[in-house]
mmCIF file of all heavy atoms in Angstrom:
data_model
loop_
_atom_site.group_PDB
_atom_site.id
_atom_site.type_symbol
_atom_site.label_atom_id
_atom_site.label_comp_id
_atom_site.label_asym_id
_atom_site.label_seq_id
_atom_site.Cartn_x
_atom_site.Cartn_y
_atom_site.Cartn_z
ATOM 1 N N LEU A 44 -16.176 -116.235 56.022
ATOM 2 C CA LEU A 44 -14.850 -116.843 55.800
ATOM 3 C C LEU A 44 -13.802 -115.756 56.104
ATOM 4 O O LEU A 44 -13.887 -114.665 55.565
ATOM 5 C CB LEU A 44 -14.744 -117.328 54.349
ATOM 6 C CG LEU A 44 -13.712 -118.407 53.999
ATOM 7 C CD1 LEU A 44 -13.935 -119.645 54.842
ATOM 8 C CD2 LEU A 44 -13.813 -118.764 52.494
ATOM 9 N N ALA A 45 -12.809 -116.145 56.921
ATOM 10 C CA ALA A 45 -11.809 -115.163 57.375
ATOM 11 C C ALA A 45 -10.397 -115.664 57.087
ATOM 12 O O ALA A 45 -10.095 -116.831 57.299
ATOM 13 C CB ALA A 45 -11.983 -114.889 58.870
ATOM 14 N N GLU A 46 -9.577 -114.769 56.643
ATOM 15 C CA GLU A 46 -8.143 -115.035 56.464
ATOM 16 C C GLU A 46 -7.426 -114.643 57.764
ATOM 17 O O GLU A 46 -6.991 -113.504 57.940
ATOM 18 C CB GLU A 46 -7.598 -114.261 55.292
ATOM 19 C CG GLU A 46 -6.146 -114.582 54.946
ATOM 20 C CD GLU A 46 -5.613 -113.770 53.769
ATOM 21 O OE1 GLU A 46 -5.563 -112.502 53.872
ATOM 22 O OE2 GLU A 46 -5.343 -114.369 52.713
ATOM 23 N N VAL A 47 -7.319 -115.579 58.659
ATOM 24 C CA VAL A 47 -6.638 -115.301 59.951
ATOM 25 C C VAL A 47 -5.116 -115.365 59.809
ATOM 26 O O VAL A 47 -4.430 -114.834 60.697
ATOM 27 C CB VAL A 47 -7.117 -116.257 61.083
ATOM 28 C CG1 VAL A 47 -8.582 -115.948 61.459
ATOM 29 C CG2 VAL A 47 -6.980 -117.716 60.649
ATOM 30 N N ILE A 48 -4.603 -115.979 58.812
ATOM 31 C CA ILE A 48 -3.167 -116.045 58.561
ATOM 32 C C ILE A 48 -2.839 -115.179 57.338
ATOM 33 O O ILE A 48 -3.118 -115.610 56.194
ATOM 34 C CB ILE A 48 -2.689 -117.469 58.304
ATOM 35 C CG1 ILE A 48 -3.168 -118.424 59.397
ATOM 36 C CG2 ILE A 48 -1.173 -117.499 58.178
ATOM 37 C CD1 ILE A 48 -2.659 -118.120 60.814
ATOM 38 N N PRO A 49 -2.350 -113.943 57.505
ATOM 39 C CA PRO A 49 -2.075 -113.106 56.318
ATOM 40 C C PRO A 49 -0.952 -113.710 55.474
ATOM 41 O O PRO A 49 -0.148 -114.500 55.959
ATOM 42 C CB PRO A 49 -1.575 -111.814 56.970
ATOM 43 C CG PRO A 49 -2.138 -111.840 58.357
ATOM 44 C CD PRO A 49 -2.102 -113.280 58.761
ATOM 45 N N PRO A 50 -0.937 -113.388 54.189
ATOM 46 C CA PRO A 50 0.089 -113.885 53.252
ATOM 47 C C PRO A 50 1.473 -113.540 53.796
ATOM 48 O O PRO A 50 1.730 -112.506 54.305
ATOM 49 C CB PRO A 50 -0.170 -113.110 51.958
ATOM 50 C CG PRO A 50 -1.612 -112.765 52.050
ATOM 51 C CD PRO A 50 -1.878 -112.500 53.510
ATOM 52 N N GLY A 51 2.384 -114.581 53.705
ATOM 53 C CA GLY A 51 3.770 -114.390 54.073
ATOM 54 C C GLY A 51 4.056 -114.674 55.557
ATOM 55 O O GLY A 51 5.247 -114.663 55.944
ATOM 56 N N LEU A 52 3.053 -114.911 56.363
ATOM 57 C CA LEU A 52 3.313 -115.190 57.772
ATOM 58 C C LEU A 52 3.032 -116.705 58.040
ATOM 59 O O LEU A 52 2.249 -117.324 57.365
ATOM 60 C CB LEU A 52 2.375 -114.351 58.684
ATOM 61 C CG LEU A 52 2.728 -112.822 58.673
ATOM 62 C CD1 LEU A 52 1.727 -112.073 59.524
ATOM 63 C CD2 LEU A 52 4.151 -112.650 59.194
ATOM 64 N N PRO A 53 3.655 -117.200 59.055
ATOM 65 C CA PRO A 53 3.523 -118.690 59.304
ATOM 66 C C PRO A 53 2.128 -119.013 59.809
ATOM 67 O O PRO A 53 1.492 -118.245 60.546
ATOM 68 C CB PRO A 53 4.577 -118.925 60.414
ATOM 69 C CG PRO A 53 4.789 -117.589 61.027
ATOM 70 C CD PRO A 53 4.629 -116.595 60.017
ATOM 71 N N ALA A 54 1.662 -120.185 59.390
ATOM 72 C CA ALA A 54 0.347 -120.663 59.786
ATOM 73 C C ALA A 54 0.373 -121.194 61.224
ATOM 74 O O ALA A 54 0.407 -122.431 61.425
ATOM 75 C CB ALA A 54 -0.174 -121.695 58.830
ATOM 76 N N GLY A 55 0.436 -120.306 62.182
ATOM 77 C CA GLY A 55 0.529 -120.728 63.578
ATOM 78 C C GLY A 55 -0.494 -120.043 64.435
ATOM 79 O O GLY A 55 -1.119 -119.080 64.054
ATOM 80 N N SER A 56 -0.645 -120.544 65.686
ATOM 81 C CA SER A 56 -1.594 -119.985 66.588
ATOM 82 C C SER A 56 -1.222 -118.621 67.054
ATOM 83 O O SER A 56 -2.109 -117.824 67.473
ATOM 84 C CB SER A 56 -1.740 -120.907 67.843
ATOM 85 O OG SER A 56 -2.325 -122.143 67.483
ATOM 86 N N ASP A 57 0.064 -118.233 67.025
ATOM 87 C CA ASP A 57 0.495 -116.909 67.358
ATOM 88 C C ASP A 57 -0.117 -115.914 66.420
ATOM 89 O O ASP A 57 -0.747 -114.926 66.793
ATOM 90 C CB ASP A 57 2.016 -116.800 67.426
ATOM 91 C CG ASP A 57 2.708 -117.422 66.227
ATOM 92 O OD1 ASP A 57 2.038 -118.163 65.434
ATOM 93 O OD2 ASP A 57 3.939 -117.192 66.060
ATOM 94 N N VAL A 58 0.006 -116.147 65.114
ATOM 95 C CA VAL A 58 -0.531 -115.258 64.091
ATOM 96 C C VAL A 58 -2.036 -115.269 64.118
ATOM 97 O O VAL A 58 -2.673 -114.239 64.101
ATOM 98 C CB VAL A 58 0.014 -115.663 62.735
ATOM 99 C CG1 VAL A 58 -0.633 -114.800 61.604
ATOM 100 C CG2 VAL A 58 1.514 -115.519 62.621
ATOM 101 N N GLY A 59 -2.576 -116.502 64.154
ATOM 102 C CA GLY A 59 -4.052 -116.606 64.057
ATOM 103 C C GLY A 59 -4.820 -115.961 65.230
ATOM 104 O O GLY A 59 -5.788 -115.275 65.067
ATOM 105 N N ASN A 60 -4.297 -116.211 66.463
ATOM 106 C CA ASN A 60 -4.988 -115.619 67.622
ATOM 107 C C ASN A 60 -4.770 -114.099 67.680
ATOM 108 O O ASN A 60 -5.654 -113.369 68.104
ATOM 109 C CB ASN A 60 -4.482 -116.283 68.892
ATOM 110 C CG ASN A 60 -5.176 -117.599 69.138
ATOM 111 O OD1 ASN A 60 -6.325 -117.618 69.508
ATOM 112 N ND2 ASN A 60 -4.445 -118.672 68.925
ATOM 113 N N MET A 61 -3.623 -113.634 67.245
ATOM 114 C CA MET A 61 -3.391 -112.170 67.158
ATOM 115 C C MET A 61 -4.455 -111.570 66.229
ATOM 116 O O MET A 61 -5.059 -110.502 66.547
ATOM 117 C CB MET A 61 -1.983 -111.888 66.668
ATOM 118 C CG MET A 61 -1.552 -110.440 66.851
ATOM 119 S SD MET A 61 0.163 -110.179 66.437
ATOM 120 C CE MET A 61 1.000 -110.800 67.920
ATOM 121 N N SER A 62 -4.734 -112.210 65.101
ATOM 122 C CA SER A 62 -5.766 -111.768 64.166
ATOM 123 C C SER A 62 -7.095 -111.732 64.879
ATOM 124 O O SER A 62 -7.857 -110.692 64.791
ATOM 125 C CB SER A 62 -5.846 -112.651 62.979
ATOM 126 O OG SER A 62 -4.765 -112.514 62.106
ATOM 127 N N ILE A 63 -7.453 -112.824 65.541
ATOM 128 C CA ILE A 63 -8.773 -112.916 66.196
ATOM 129 C C ILE A 63 -9.000 -111.777 67.219
ATOM 130 O O ILE A 63 -10.090 -111.169 67.289
ATOM 131 C CB ILE A 63 -8.966 -114.266 66.870
ATOM 132 C CG1 ILE A 63 -9.076 -115.384 65.786
ATOM 133 C CG2 ILE A 63 -10.173 -114.302 67.781
ATOM 134 C CD1 ILE A 63 -9.087 -116.763 66.334
ATOM 135 N N PHE A 64 -7.952 -111.416 67.923
ATOM 136 C CA PHE A 64 -8.098 -110.381 68.910
ATOM 137 C C PHE A 64 -7.990 -108.963 68.304
ATOM 138 O O PHE A 64 -8.001 -107.954 69.023
ATOM 139 C CB PHE A 64 -7.081 -110.517 70.026
ATOM 140 C CG PHE A 64 -7.408 -111.693 70.934
ATOM 141 C CD1 PHE A 64 -6.660 -112.846 70.912
ATOM 142 C CD2 PHE A 64 -8.494 -111.641 71.774
ATOM 143 C CE1 PHE A 64 -6.966 -113.916 71.735
ATOM 144 C CE2 PHE A 64 -8.840 -112.680 72.613
ATOM 145 C CZ PHE A 64 -8.067 -113.842 72.539
ATOM 146 N N GLY A 65 -7.950 -108.867 66.968
ATOM 147 C CA GLY A 65 -8.049 -107.597 66.331
ATOM 148 C C GLY A 65 -6.762 -106.861 66.089
ATOM 149 O O GLY A 65 -6.737 -105.692 65.769
ATOM 150 N N TYR A 66 -5.619 -107.561 66.179
ATOM 151 C CA TYR A 66 -4.289 -106.960 65.944
ATOM 152 C C TYR A 66 -3.736 -107.516 64.636
ATOM 153 O O TYR A 66 -3.598 -108.749 64.502
ATOM 154 C CB TYR A 66 -3.361 -107.309 67.096
ATOM 155 C CG TYR A 66 -3.757 -106.705 68.406
ATOM 156 C CD1 TYR A 66 -4.689 -107.325 69.240
ATOM 157 C CD2 TYR A 66 -3.204 -105.512 68.845
ATOM 158 C CE1 TYR A 66 -5.078 -106.789 70.447
ATOM 159 C CE2 TYR A 66 -3.553 -104.947 70.070
ATOM 160 C CZ TYR A 66 -4.470 -105.593 70.885
ATOM 161 O OH TYR A 66 -4.888 -105.025 72.078
ATOM 162 N N ASP A 67 -3.473 -106.677 63.710
ATOM 163 C CA ASP A 67 -3.007 -107.104 62.409
ATOM 164 C C ASP A 67 -1.610 -107.693 62.588
ATOM 165 O O ASP A 67 -0.686 -107.010 62.957
ATOM 166 C CB ASP A 67 -2.938 -105.912 61.450
ATOM 167 C CG ASP A 67 -2.507 -106.299 60.052
ATOM 168 O OD1 ASP A 67 -2.123 -107.459 59.836
ATOM 169 O OD2 ASP A 67 -2.526 -105.375 59.170
ATOM 170 N N PRO A 68 -1.450 -108.986 62.342
ATOM 171 C CA PRO A 68 -0.099 -109.617 62.574
ATOM 172 C C PRO A 68 0.993 -109.001 61.673
ATOM 173 O O PRO A 68 2.125 -109.000 62.058
ATOM 174 C CB PRO A 68 -0.333 -111.112 62.213
ATOM 175 C CG PRO A 68 -1.826 -111.303 62.330
ATOM 176 C CD PRO A 68 -2.452 -110.018 61.974
ATOM 177 N N ALA A 69 0.599 -108.470 60.556
ATOM 178 C CA ALA A 69 1.618 -107.838 59.689
ATOM 179 C C ALA A 69 2.219 -106.657 60.391
ATOM 180 O O ALA A 69 3.395 -106.277 60.100
ATOM 181 C CB ALA A 69 0.965 -107.385 58.369
ATOM 182 N N MET A 70 1.541 -106.031 61.364
ATOM 183 C CA MET A 70 2.079 -104.927 62.127
ATOM 184 C C MET A 70 2.722 -105.302 63.492
ATOM 185 O O MET A 70 3.706 -104.681 63.878
ATOM 186 C CB MET A 70 0.932 -103.885 62.434
ATOM 187 C CG MET A 70 0.347 -103.220 61.187
ATOM 188 S SD MET A 70 -0.980 -102.121 61.672
ATOM 189 C CE MET A 70 -0.192 -100.998 62.787
ATOM 190 N N TYR A 71 2.154 -106.352 64.120
ATOM 191 C CA TYR A 71 2.530 -106.602 65.495
ATOM 192 C C TYR A 71 3.297 -107.886 65.722
ATOM 193 O O TYR A 71 3.855 -108.064 66.798
ATOM 194 C CB TYR A 71 1.265 -106.594 66.357
ATOM 195 C CG TYR A 71 0.548 -105.242 66.377
ATOM 196 C CD1 TYR A 71 -0.654 -105.107 65.727
ATOM 197 C CD2 TYR A 71 1.090 -104.200 67.101
ATOM 198 C CE1 TYR A 71 -1.298 -103.883 65.754
ATOM 199 C CE2 TYR A 71 0.418 -102.971 67.133
ATOM 200 C CZ TYR A 71 -0.778 -102.822 66.438
ATOM 201 O OH TYR A 71 -1.401 -101.593 66.465
ATOM 202 N N HIS A 72 3.299 -108.812 64.799
ATOM 203 C CA HIS A 72 3.908 -110.129 65.046
ATOM 204 C C HIS A 72 5.408 -110.014 64.930
ATOM 205 O O HIS A 72 5.927 -109.597 63.906
ATOM 206 C CB HIS A 72 3.374 -111.156 64.018
ATOM 207 C CG HIS A 72 3.834 -112.521 64.298
ATOM 208 N ND1 HIS A 72 4.930 -113.095 63.590
ATOM 209 C CD2 HIS A 72 3.462 -113.490 65.145
ATOM 210 C CE1 HIS A 72 5.143 -114.297 64.006
ATOM 211 N NE2 HIS A 72 4.280 -114.605 64.965
ATOM 212 N N THR A 73 6.134 -110.476 65.968
ATOM 213 C CA THR A 73 7.544 -110.526 65.905
ATOM 214 C C THR A 73 8.113 -111.968 66.121
ATOM 215 O O THR A 73 9.273 -112.229 66.023
ATOM 216 C CB THR A 73 8.206 -109.657 67.024
ATOM 217 O OG1 THR A 73 7.808 -110.228 68.343
ATOM 218 C CG2 THR A 73 7.734 -108.201 66.957
ATOM 219 N N GLY A 74 7.223 -112.899 66.369
ATOM 220 C CA GLY A 74 7.653 -114.256 66.607
ATOM 221 C C GLY A 74 6.701 -114.895 67.631
ATOM 222 O O GLY A 74 5.970 -114.182 68.373
ATOM 223 N N ARG A 75 6.707 -116.173 67.725
ATOM 224 C CA ARG A 75 5.807 -116.889 68.618
ATOM 225 C C ARG A 75 6.277 -116.870 70.079
ATOM 226 O O ARG A 75 5.498 -116.592 70.980
ATOM 227 C CB ARG A 75 5.716 -118.362 68.151
ATOM 228 C CG ARG A 75 4.803 -119.235 68.988
ATOM 229 C CD ARG A 75 4.830 -120.662 68.493
ATOM 230 N NE ARG A 75 3.912 -121.499 69.233
ATOM 231 C CZ ARG A 75 2.818 -122.106 68.728
ATOM 232 N NH1 ARG A 75 2.537 -121.961 67.461
ATOM 233 N NH2 ARG A 75 2.059 -122.850 69.493
#
Side-chain angles (χ1 to χ4, degrees):
L44 201 57
E46 184 180 65
V47 289
I48 309 296
L52 289 178
S56 292
D57 46 350
V58 176
N60 280 287
M61 194 174 281
S62 287
I63 289 173
F64 288 109
Y66 295 83
D67 183 353
M70 294 178 59
Y71 297 107
H72 184 263
T73 64
R75 179 183 184 116

